[in-house]
Amino acid sequence: MKDFWYELKHVCKQTGARYGILHTPHGDVETPMFMPVGTLATVKGISPEQLKEMGSQVILSNTYHLWLRPGNDVVKKAGGLHKFMNYDGPMLTDSGGFQVFSLGKTRKIEEEGVTFKSIIDGSQLFLSPEKAIQIQEDLGADMIMSFDECAPYPASREYMEKSVARTIRWAKRGKDAHTREDQALFGIVQGGEYPDIREKCAKALVEMDFPGYSIGGTSVGEPKDVMYKMIDDTIPFLPEDKPRYLMGVGNPIDLIEAAIRGIDMYDCVLPTRVARHGALMTHYGRMNINNQKFKYDFTPIDDMCHCYTCRNYTRAYLRHLHKSDEIFGKSLLSIHNVAFLLDLAKDIREAIKEDRLGDFKEEFLDRYGRDVY
Ligand code: GUN
């Protein structure tokens, strides 16, 4: 496809992490990058202008949710997701695979696709590789995802073999159905904790020649070391000249560890989701704004943070807003958490460029803590 390519600019001599530029139809972005999640065509509590001011590069939306509400036809009629939500930067949509599979008992997987019940009105719905592509074409993001099965953890080898074989067939069907030249369709590598299955899946997808590759089936309850091994088991089989996206990962420590392992992109709902409950990420570890000790604390959340919230508001004020359940409080806390991860990704890029990501990791962990999740 035209207008989309990955340019590897520098490999960190200390760690092997990659700094690169991803060229997209809606502009160039620097990697490794964190992508804030705007499931329903909005990053909850943060305006597109604020996102830009924070240095957000790509935002992510979901096929499944937008298909159900307001409907892909509505977004298409609006002129696509960019126009609909007034965001003119690069965007990515997930295929719905992850959301559908997290529905548990209410769904049925067959070769043709997945039947499941709508979370909105309980009606019977059917999503297939072709349908997931058609919806994503209507939404019009710059990067779109193949329809895959995100298998549970743990899953038996027998289950995983069958599931991945089907995910590969689905990737091929999606690729055949994809018509928009201005969208980059990524293949998603599955295979759970089985290295040989991940290798097989990666090789089959690379054979189909996608413009980018995702690593899926992570962050599904597996221990950290298993997740890192899943990355290590996949990366060697992915081409150097294509972007690598680790799906659903947004813990600060994982951002650093994944970059060291050769990941270029990640996303997570974590920063906005936990912010709404008063949980904040800081350079000194996690903090909860509800804490009584902040009642008379007129300092910012994090003295190392330069976000809008930290530049303008105190812990005492934010605690008051949060305890009063004020909407503005949720917005300010979300801004801080998202900015924290965007800034961390930026620090990671700077450290890669200067061949010191290993040192950066140690300095970060000394302050942040090594077991903070
Ligand atoms: N988001 C987090 N993990 C996954 C995955 O395995 N597949 C998809 N499609 N989305 C994800």
Side-chain angles (χ1 to χ4, degrees), residues 60 62 93-99 101 145-151 188-190 198 214-220 245-249 267:
L60 186 145
N62 279 305
T93 45
D94 195 358
S95 57
F98 184 72
Q99 285 74 30
F101 288 103
M145 297 296 126
S146 298
F147 188 62
D148 60 327
E149 179 184 357
C150 178
I188 304 179
V189 181
Q190 295 287 350
R198 286 223 171 243
S214 307
I215 299 181
T218 52
S219 266
V220 284
Y245 163 28
L246 179 63
M247 308 188 90
V249 170
D267 76 284

Side-chain angles (χ1 to χ4, degrees), residues 152-171:
Y153 176 87
S156 71
R157 164 173 280 279
E158 196 193 354
Y159 183 94
M160 195 58 78
E161 269 169 356
K162 279 200 188 123
S163 162
V164 169
R166 187 171 46 219
T167 282
I168 295 169
R169 289 191 295 274
W170 282 359

Side-chain angles (χ1 to χ4, degrees), residues 98-330:
F98 184 72
Q99 285 74 30
V100 166
F101 288 103
S102 60
L103 295 174
K105 283 200 185 78
T106 60
R107 54 144 174 80
K108 187 165 160 216
I109 314 168
E110 287 162 314
E111 184 62 27
E112 197 45 34
V114 185
T115 311
F116 59 98
K117 276 205 171 101
S118 161
I119 43 163
I120 293 177
D121 58 11
S123 62
Q124 186 100 322
L125 294 167
F126 178 71
L127 199 53
S128 67
E130 291 82 6
K131 179 87 185 160
I133 295 294
Q134 183 232 314
I135 298 168
Q136 292 184 93
E137 290 198 351
D138 287 350
L139 300 176
D142 304 76
M143 289 165 268
I144 67 174
M145 297 296 126
S146 298
F147 188 62
D148 60 327
E149 179 184 357
C150 178
Y153 176 87
S156 71
R157 164 173 280 279
E158 196 193 354
Y159 183 94
M160 195 58 78
E161 269 169 356
K162 279 200 188 123
S163 162
V164 169
R166 187 171 46 219
T167 282
I168 295 169
R169 289 191 295 274
W170 282 359
K172 174 77 171 69
R173 279 170 52 188
K175 195 162 194 294
D176 290 344
H178 183 223
T179 60
R180 275 186 68 161
E181 271 284 300
D182 59 342
Q183 289 182 308
L185 170 63
F186 282 40
I188 304 179
V189 181
Q190 295 287 350
E193 58 182 318
Y194 303 102
D196 56 318
I197 306 180
R198 286 223 171 243
E199 175 180 346
K200 210 168 143 194
C201 185
K203 284 181 171 166
L205 296 174
V206 171
E207 181 82 7
M208 292 180 217
D209 192 24
F210 286 94
Y213 297 91
S214 307
I215 299 181
T218 52
S219 266
V220 284
E222 76 284 6
K224 289 281 152 189
D225 53 335
V226 173
M227 198 246 281
Y228 297 153
K229 190 167 172 300
M230 288 174 176
I231 305 172
D232 291 336
D233 290 339
T234 310
I235 292 284
F237 307 103
L238 300 180
E240 279 197 349
D241 62 349
K242 300 283 160 66
R244 301 141 174 192
Y245 163 28
L246 179 63
M247 308 188 90
V249 170
N251 178 279
I253 299 175
D254 294 344
L255 258 55
I256 303 173
E257 292 290 353
I260 288 174
R261 288 167 167 77
I263 293 295
D264 307 305
M265 309 160 56
Y266 8 64
D267 76 284
C268 198
V269 292
L270 187 78
T272 41
R273 181 172 294 164
V274 301
R276 294 196 296 278
H277 299 286
L280 298 166
M281 301 171 186
T282 81
H283 286 86
Y284 309 95
R286 288 279 277 266
M287 125 181 194
N288 197 308
I289 201 68
N290 277 311
N291 201 310
Q292 164 78 15
K293 72 181 177 196
F294 300 132
K295 188 169 181 185
Y296 299 101
D297 187 338
F298 301 104
T299 64
I301 296 169
D302 180 350
D303 62 9
M304 290 181 72
C305 176
H306 308 289
C307 80
Y308 170 77
T309 305
C310 287
R311 287 198 314 272
N312 295 290
Y313 299 97
T314 65
R315 293 172 175 185
Y317 178 65
L318 294 166
R319 177 176 181 274
H320 155 68
L321 291 188
H322 189 68
K323 287 197 93 62
S324 314
D325 207 22
E326 282 292 336
I327 297 171
F328 189 45
K330 294 190 194 305

